[in-house]
Amino acid sequence: MKNVCVITGGGSGMGLETAKILGKENYVIICGRTVGKLESAIRKLQEEGIEAEAFPCDVSDRESVHKLAVHARELGKITGVIHAAGMSPHMDDARKIMETNALGTIYVNEEFYEVMEAGSCLIDVASMAGYLLPKLIMPKKSYPLSRTDKEKFMQKMMARVKLLPKKHHSDVAYGISKNFVIWYAATDAMKFGQKGIRVLSVSPGNFETPMGELEKEEASTYLKYCAIKKFGDPKEIAELLAFAAGPKPAFLTGVDILMDGGCVAGKTLIK
């Protein structure tokens, strides 16, 4: 039986860089929707002597996530789950973004709760975008529906998105979905804690990743708010994710860690 670490969105960017670190002491399963990207990532990991496999998974499909969780548990003890899969505003329409980012997080957390054991850690990757929309836009009162009525939850999320002009729907869906991820991880900590499992979220700012490249022109407008005037290197946040998922910060749970070069803090100061 192996120590297994699962990384959704592990085919590139921060997910792949995290796999390179965690793979030194764990068997790594990287997941994503694009098989070609996963195969390329596996070759890179194997070149570094890391034992890893690719597992195609669409996190917006609960059955797909269930199969991933069952497979990971059959291989050994799941020491960590890094849920980094997600969609940015330029990748699809508002509904698909919400399904992938919000429902995907619900499915990953619920399915892996059933197969993880004491001493392990689950990290949901959110975004600094979860802090940037005005609080009035965030439908936080409807977030608890995610645990009782997922269909109604989605109706409430999309109803809020549609209050804004159509040209902003994808951006708003992204911001709301990532704000929800921060809330969901924090409020899942008590449930997971009863099994001795830690849950937290990490919110990246702008990083030099394939997803970040799609948003680069728009993201560059935020550099004026940053204390560190550059985009982050995915290796930097990979170090954070790997450390937070490991055994050393054993008292760390129920929080969001914002790694954005000081952007959110700067935006509150610069008008």
Side-chain angles (χ1 to χ4, degrees):
M1 298 292 282
K2 310 172 186 291
N3 284 336
V4 178
C5 184
V6 179
I7 303 177
T8 70
S12 63
M14 63 185 70
L16 178 56
E17 293 301 327
T18 306
K20 292 177 181 178
I21 301 171
L22 291 174
K24 294 174 183 177
E25 296 182 357
N26 297 274
Y27 182 85
V28 175
I29 304 174
I30 59 170
C31 318
R33 296 178 303 158
T34 308
V35 175
K37 184 189 291 186
L38 292 176
E39 291 174 344
S40 174
I42 288 295
R43 287 193 293 270
K44 292 176 182 177
L45 292 172
Q46 290 175 341
E47 287 170 2
E48 298 195 16
I50 292 170
E51 192 178 7
E53 69 174 74
F55 195 99
C57 178
D58 177 358
V59 297
S60 68
D61 178 353
R62 180 156 200 154
E63 183 59 28
S64 183
V65 178
H66 174 73
K67 289 177 180 178
L68 169 63
V70 170
H71 175 68
R73 183 62 187 91
E74 288 173 345
L75 291 176
K77 179 181 179 181
I78 302 169
T79 59
V81 176
I82 311 294
H83 173 40
M87 282 191 172
S88 70
H90 287 120
M91 293 176 72
D92 216 315
D93 61 31
R95 184 169 188 87
K96 188 59 179 177
I97 290 168
M98 190 67 70
E99 289 174 345
T100 301
N101 296 350
L103 282 182
T105 297
I106 296 167
Y107 296 156
V108 167
N109 285 31
E110 288 188 347
E111 292 295 336
F112 276 92
Y113 174 79
E114 300 298 331
V115 296
M116 294 174 75
E117 300 175 25
S120 58
C121 179
L122 187 153
I123 300 177
D124 293 312
V125 177
S127 168
M128 74 172 184
Y131 291 88
L132 296 177
L133 287 178
K135 291 182 179 180
L136 287 174
I137 292 178
M138 301 298 185
K140 282 193 170 184
K141 290 184 178 179
S142 297
Y143 288 175
L145 288 169
S146 60
R147 293 193 170 93
T148 59
D149 189 334
K150 292 175 179 56
E151 183 176 345
K152 191 172 182 180
F153 165 76
M154 279 297 295
Q155 290 173 355
K156 292 286 187 179
M157 296 303 104
M158 295 311 299
R160 184 59 58 93
V161 168
K162 291 174 183 178
L163 290 177
L164 282 296
K166 190 172 182 178
K167 65 179 181 179
H168 297 305
H169 282 186
S170 290
D171 287 320
V172 174
Y174 182 73
I176 290 175
S177 69
K178 291 301 187 178
N179 183 264
F180 167 76
V181 170
I182 295 168
W183 176 89
Y184 193 77
T187 56
D188 243 8
M190 184 68 74
K191 171 186 171 182
F192 276 77
Q194 293 171 358
K195 291 182 66 175
I197 305 166
R198 296 184 297 113
V199 180
L200 61 141
S201 60
V202 169
S203 288
N206 296 314
F207 280 80
E208 295 281 1
T209 64
M211 184 181 291
E213 190 64 31
L214 294 173
E215 313 294 329
K216 196 161 190 177
E217 184 176 346
E218 181 179 347
S220 295
T221 64
Y222 285 95
L223 283 177
K224 63 183 177 182
Y225 301 116
C226 293
I228 301 173
K229 305 294 185 183
K230 71 176 187 70
F231 283 11
D233 185 323
K235 293 179 181 178
E236 295 163 347
I237 195 162
E239 291 287 353
L240 171 62
L241 289 167
F243 175 76
K248 291 184 178 180
F251 205 49
L252 180 66
T253 193
V255 297
D256 181 66
I257 303 174
L258 180 61
M259 190 176 188
D260 67 343
C263 184
V264 171
K267 199 169 187 303
T268 63
L269 299 173
I270 302 172
K271 303 298 182 182

